[in-house]
Each structure stands twice: as C-alpha cells, then as structure tokens.
Amino acid sequence: MLNRIVAKKKDEIARDKLQLPPQELVRRVVPGELSFSKALAGKSWSLIAECKIASPVKGRLSNCSIGELAELYDTNGATALSILTDSHFCGSLQHVDEAKAISRLPVLRKDFIIDEYQLYQARLIGADAVLLIAAILTDCQIHRYLEVAQQIGLDCLVEVHSREELERVQQTAAPVIGINNRDLTTFTTSVERTFELLPYCAADRLFISESGIHSPQTAARLQAAGIRGVLVGEGLVTAPDIARKVRELSLSEMGE
C-alpha cells in the first residue's frame, strides 16, 4: 500500500511542479517561526488534534467542517492541529487555509512527504510543521529534509513504527519524534507499541504517541511513562461530544 501511495504521490508532485515551478515556489515562501515545536516544548502534555472529516474506508466521519473542528479543538484545549492534505485520505491543501482562518494554533501538514518541494509547499500554504514518515524515507532524505525545514522555519514530526526506525531517526537531529501505534503490515493498532519502544527513546527528544488513543486514562498512562503528547483523529471526530473528548484527551479535565 505504501509503495502505491508513494508512486501516486510522485505523479502528483510532478503535476504541482508544472503548475508552480520549484524556483518560483521557493521565492514565494515566507519562513516560519518553528511555532509547532515551541508549543509542544512549552507544555508538559499536548494534544495534537486532527481535523479529519472522512476516511477512504469508512467514508464521512463527521458532520463538522474543517473550520468547525478547528474551532472546537482550539477552544477546548488542543495544543496544535493536524491537517490531512493527501487526497487519497480525503485531505486537501485548502484544508490548511480553512483551519488557519479559524484558529491560531500551529498546524501540522499530514501527508506523504517524499520531495523537498513539499516542504516549501507546506510553508506556502501556512503549515507550521510536516510529518516525515521514516518507513518511506532514506536516512539521507530525513537528514536533508530536516535541514531544509530548519532553514525555512518549518518543524518536522518524524514518525517511526519500529525499534529499527527509531534508532535510525535518533541518529538525526529530529527533536520531535512520533511513535505510530498502527502496524503497517496488518494495520492493527495497539498503544502498547509506544510502551514497547519507550526504553529505547533518547531523553533529549520529545515523543508523541499516535493512533489508538481513545480514553483519558490511556493518555494519562502515556504521560506518566514520559510521552509528551498524543496525535488523535478518529477518536475525536467520532465522539458523541467532540468538545468534551478534546478536554479529556488534553487532560484538562484531570487537572492538567
């Protein structure tokens, strides 16, 4: 599946480069202020709330718009927003604009980043950070993308799924690392993956747990173990009371 997604993404980027050539894109970019990592570092616990309105498998997940979700997240304790921009996963570059029009929270562009062009593109649309997935990138690419991102004031959340990927990423300068609890071969999800990798996590990095977090008890357990926050999508948008679920997972209803 990842190979198919990456192949499709290469075609998409080629089309984007025809519409806006790389040199012109670079010229238009205004550097950011690394507000994503600053927001996470400034708190003992963070909820990165994903504005996810649909899934390619499950269809429509919420009746809310991107802007409505951004407002709910912002006013109920989220630290940052995650915005899907990959069309296969029902995302769009325009969704970043929609969220930014409502919320001042830093925005993570969640996509399959495989080309430097996408880093500059992320800044052009107003994103404050991008997701880098170690499983689809070489060590050289991760080093290079972190370097380019730093130059344009763009943060990176570097995602790992295994101990091998964790060790690779910890050889880079990545300050924020996400542990994805979804198995990429079976697509099953277990928060225990984060706990299994914790003994190998460097003390000088900030770690986020991604996927499979549904309860404040799980969030509190992760925090007690040393994780600094969670990235949650479907667990928020499918909740009967989204605002309350945001407060619960941001631990604001548990004294945090």
Side-chain angles (χ1 to χ4, degrees):
M1 180 179 287
L2 280 176
N3 289 337
R4 290 198 301 271
I5 289 171
V6 169
K8 182 181 177 183
K9 186 61 60 176
K10 287 179 179 177
D11 292 339
E12 182 182 301
I13 295 167
R15 290 194 299 270
D16 288 345
K17 287 180 178 179
L18 289 176
Q19 294 179 352
L20 181 59
Q23 287 184 325
E24 176 63 16
L25 172 61
V26 171
R27 189 187 68 79
R28 292 187 190 182
V29 163
V30 176
E33 301 177 351
L34 301 175
S35 58
F36 181 80
S37 61
K38 289 176 182 176
L40 298 183
K43 299 181 69 175
S44 62
W45 179 257
S46 294
L47 169 64
I48 304 169
E50 190 158 280
C51 296
K52 185 174 185 178
I53 57 175
S55 157
V57 175
K58 299 180 181 179
R60 188 79 184 187
L61 297 170
S62 172
N63 291 323
C64 292
S65 67
I66 294 294
E68 289 168 338
L69 286 175
E71 184 174 23
L72 278 170
Y73 295 162
D74 193 330
T75 56
N76 285 281
T79 301
L81 304 177
S82 171
I83 307 291
L84 288 155
T85 60
D86 180 76
S87 59
H88 177 76
F89 287 91
C90 309
S92 166
L93 295 176
Q94 284 69 43
H95 288 170
V96 174
D97 280 335
E98 292 175 35
K100 284 282 189 176
I102 299 296
S103 171
R104 297 177 65 87
L105 293 178
V107 167
L108 168 75
R109 177 191 181 182
K110 192 176 183 187
D111 208 318
F112 297 89
I113 304 297
I114 57 169
D115 192 298
E116 282 184 34
Y117 185 91
Q118 295 167 283
L119 304 178
Y120 292 98
Q121 188 181 53
R123 271 307 304 152
L124 185 66
I125 64 174
D128 305 287
V130 292
L131 182 73
L132 299 182
I133 303 172
I136 62 172
L137 299 173
T138 65
D139 292 351
C140 183
Q141 284 177 307
I142 296 172
H143 279 282
R144 177 60 182 165
Y145 295 171
L146 286 168
E147 179 183 9
V148 171
Q150 180 69 27
Q151 291 170 359
I152 60 174
L154 182 72
D155 281 308
C156 297
L157 172 60
V158 187
E159 179 179 286
V160 302
H161 298 81
S162 66
R163 181 178 173 183
E164 183 270 333
E165 290 178 3
L166 175 61
E167 291 174 349
R168 284 176 55 213
V169 170
Q170 289 185 151
Q171 295 301 311
T172 75
V176 186
I177 300 174
I179 299 174
N180 194 324
N181 298 310
R182 180 168 287 112
D183 188 305
L184 289 180
T185 55
T186 65
F187 284 89
T188 57
T189 302
S190 173
V191 178
E192 294 309 310
R193 180 177 297 270
T194 292
F195 293 104
E196 290 166 5
L197 293 183
L198 268 175
Y200 311 103
C201 293
D204 62 344
R205 311 298 174 99
L206 192 154
F207 285 90
I208 299 296
S209 184
E210 306 170 27
S211 301
I213 299 101
H214 300 286
S215 72
Q217 290 77 22
T218 299
R221 184 178 164 221
L222 286 164
Q223 184 190 39
I227 294 296
R228 292 287 294 276
V230 290
L231 191 157
V232 184
E234 286 190 32
L236 294 175
V237 298
T238 59
D241 186 337
I242 294 175
R244 180 170 183 176
K245 180 61 73 172
V246 174
R247 293 193 298 272
E248 287 178 350
L249 294 182
S250 63
L251 300 182
S252 59
E253 294 196 344
M254 297 180 69
E256 284 292 317

